[in-house]
Amino acid sequence: MRILNSDDVLKSLQLNRADLNDEVLALVKRNMQAAQANGTRELEDGFKSLALYIEKIMPPQSAPSPTLSGEKPVKIPKVIYINNTTHCNAKCSMCPTKYSKRTVQVMSMELFKKIITEIAPYKDAITNLYIGLHGEPFVDRLLEERVELCAEHGFRNVILTTNGSLVTEERATRLLAMGLSGIHFSLESLRPEVYEKIRVGLCHKVVLNNILNFIRLRDQQKAATAIWIRFIESDANTAEADAFLDYWRSKLNPRLDFTQRCDMHDWALGSPELTHPDLQAGDSPCVHVMEQTSIHCDGTMGLCCLDYNGEYELGNVCEHNFLEAYNSEKFKAVRLMHQTRQRCRLRRCCNCSLPEYWGGDKRYNGTVKKFVAAGAIQSEAIKFGQDFAVAHNLS
């Protein structure tokens, strides 16, 4: 493997990073020259991998400042999903639970407390903390206790996503009193016959009443809990989309609440019948990989919100501190592969169009340009991505 040329790297840094002073540039040059003189292949003298090297000399300008054991700054996710249970009381047509190979389980309270305690010092950097992902969070009898624990640790951005079937008046009252930040209700039709074909196993009347009761209780208590009503559009309900959204806008508080109309997605399975024809997989960096993370019930950290089977174990909060797990070599490498437009090397990412749907190119255009401009870094990063994908069975 060719050694990076120090002059190439310095030129790229000076071009892309005007905020770096002469002292930092001189340090980079000394490290580069020492590595070249020693004949190291990937700057092994002082840097364990190319991913670590690039992060050290080209961190995002808005990078957070916490450290591990007094060492260099580490990355903190802006959004965290904690999957409190894999159990769900419905079998929805657009959901991958029917393909799931994971055992039905509930996260232990001990593990949940560990996670919350470890991320609490960085709560101001975490914009959203979701409880629930690949299951129905209200199946968990400890849900209210978990939300209360988050409130005790100062989190003011806790959000639940639910099908609404188990959100009774008693549970709603308790959650609102705790200061729940937001709740997402998924309801795909105002017509029972359509809804119950999409959300198999649920009763439309029960769900509709639960949502309306939650809105009423929220307004009575003058709580600041934001309510989202999500409409996942499909052939079965597209004709009523406008009327559906108009109905809910008349019920919601425009200063707090939202209606969301979104397309079906195939959960990166490569099934065209489940994906909007305008959504084509590309090579944009993904917001979930770059800025978010998901923690499964057993403490493993997956690739993204679509990794419902936990194919990619990139970290484990049972074995490590949260920040150590999130800044593991695997996480760093996967983020680097996205930054250098190599996500097609990852099985789960090659068929996924969500980065394009979320505007990945616009969001990370500056970051991608830096790597493209840094010719020497770009070529070595691509080779690193190839080797890493093969070594860790990610491709």
Side-chain angles (χ1 to χ4, degrees):
M1 182 177 289
R2 182 175 63 80
I3 302 301
L4 297 180
N5 183 282
S6 59
D7 291 332
D8 290 342
V9 174
L10 288 172
K11 179 184 286 187
S12 175
L13 285 176
Q14 289 169 333
L15 176 66
N16 293 286
R17 292 297 304 276
D19 59 308
L20 297 181
N21 59 37
D22 291 340
E23 182 179 353
V24 173
L25 293 172
L27 176 62
V28 171
K29 186 171 184 176
R30 284 198 300 273
N31 276 309
M32 293 290 299
Q33 291 174 337
Q36 288 175 296
N38 293 332
T40 53
R41 294 177 303 164
E42 270 192 295
L43 301 177
E44 292 171 355
D45 182 15
F47 303 100
K48 293 181 180 179
S49 71
L50 186 63
L52 283 174
Y53 173 71
I54 291 176
E55 186 173 38
K56 186 171 182 66
I57 65 170
M58 296 181 68
Q61 295 194 32
S62 59
S65 58
T67 60
L68 292 174
S69 305
E71 298 173 355
K72 65 180 183 304
V74 295
K75 186 177 179 64
I76 297 176
K78 293 181 180 179
V79 177
I80 298 175
Y81 294 83
I82 303 177
N83 198 30
N84 61 320
T85 180
T86 56
H87 180 54
C88 188
N89 60 338
K91 295 188 180 297
C92 304
S93 60
M94 77 293 284
C95 184
T97 52
K98 51 183 168 290
Y99 305 117
S100 179
K101 300 175 183 177
R102 298 180 74 85
T103 56
V104 175
Q105 63 183 134
V106 176
M107 178 179 284
S108 72
M109 199 61 194
E110 180 183 8
L111 176 56
F112 188 85
K113 287 179 179 178
K114 177 182 184 294
I115 295 168
I116 297 303
T117 300
E118 291 176 354
I119 66 177
Y122 317 109
K123 59 182 178 292
D124 292 337
I126 300 169
T127 58
N128 288 318
L129 175 61
Y130 287 88
I131 300 178
L133 181 60
H134 300 132
E136 169 51 49
F138 279 83
V139 170
D140 177 12
R141 295 181 180 179
L142 297 176
L143 177 62
E144 288 84 350
E145 188 176 338
R146 299 184 200 275
V147 173
E148 188 173 31
L149 179 69
C150 294
E152 290 172 355
H153 279 79
F155 285 95
R156 295 293 179 266
N157 51 3
V158 180
I159 301 171
L160 304 177
T161 299
T162 176
N163 59 41
S165 62
L166 302 175
V167 187
T168 62
E169 186 165 333
E170 179 184 356
R171 300 187 80 175
T173 301
R174 187 177 173 190
L175 287 167
L176 288 165
M178 292 174 186
L180 180 68
S181 303
I183 186 166
H184 293 200
F185 290 104
S186 294
L187 182 77
E188 278 65 53
S189 180
L190 293 174
R191 296 179 292 168
E193 68 276 11
V194 174
Y195 173 85
E196 291 173 10
K197 285 183 180 178
I198 296 173
R199 299 249 168 203
V200 179
L202 302 184
C203 174
H204 180 268
K205 182 178 179 180
V206 169
V207 173
L208 183 62
N209 286 339
N210 285 348
I211 297 174
L212 292 172
N213 278 335
F214 193 97
I215 295 172
R216 175 181 57 81
L217 290 167
R218 189 275 308 269
D219 293 344
Q220 285 178 353
Q221 296 184 26
K222 294 183 167 59
T225 305
I227 298 171
W228 283 262
I229 303 295
R230 182 165 58 187
F231 179 86
I232 302 177
E233 191 169 356
S234 65
D235 291 341
N237 63 5
T238 188
E240 65 173 299
D242 292 336
F244 177 95
L245 296 174
D246 287 341
Y247 172 84
W248 286 109
R249 286 170 186 144
S250 70
K251 306 291 183 185
L252 299 174
N253 182 340
R255 293 175 299 171
L256 280 176
D257 305 330
F258 303 89
T259 56
Q260 181 185 17
R261 179 179 182 175
C262 52
D263 296 307
M264 288 184 65
H265 193 267
D266 74 341
W267 291 76
L269 293 171
S271 303
E273 67 274 11
L274 294 179
T275 304
H276 193 282
D278 292 337
L279 295 179
Q280 299 297 323
D283 60 4
S284 306
C286 178
V287 62
H288 193 111
V289 171
M290 301 300 296
E291 299 179 2
Q292 306 177 12
T293 193
S294 306
I295 307 174
H296 298 297
C297 293
D298 58 2
T300 57
M301 301 173 74
L303 174 68
C304 67
C305 56
L306 302 190
D307 187 14
Y308 55 87
N309 268 328
E311 294 178 55
Y312 298 80
E313 184 179 332
L314 302 183
N316 192 319
V317 293
C318 291
E319 301 171 359
H320 303 282
N321 173 279
F322 173 83
L323 283 186
E324 291 175 340
Y326 184 65
N327 287 273
S328 70
E329 289 295 303
K330 285 187 178 181
F331 262 122
K332 289 174 182 289
V334 167
R335 288 195 285 267
L336 176 61
M337 291 167 76
H338 272 249
Q339 285 175 312
T340 53
R341 297 191 181 280
Q342 297 184 79
R343 74 171 217 241
C344 61
R345 299 188 184 282
L346 303 171
R347 286 189 304 271
R348 179 60 59 183
C349 302
C350 66
N351 293 318
C352 185
S353 58
L354 280 184
E356 284 67 43
Y357 185 72
W358 288 331
D361 258 343
K362 292 180 180 178
R363 185 185 296 260
Y364 299 106
N365 191 39
T367 304
V368 171
K369 277 185 176 178
K370 287 179 183 178
F371 283 102
V372 172
I377 290 180
Q378 173 76 351
S379 61
E380 296 299 321
I382 290 175
K383 182 64 168 70
F384 173 81
Q386 293 171 343
D387 294 345
F388 192 93
V390 171
H392 293 277
N393 191 31
L394 301 177
S395 58

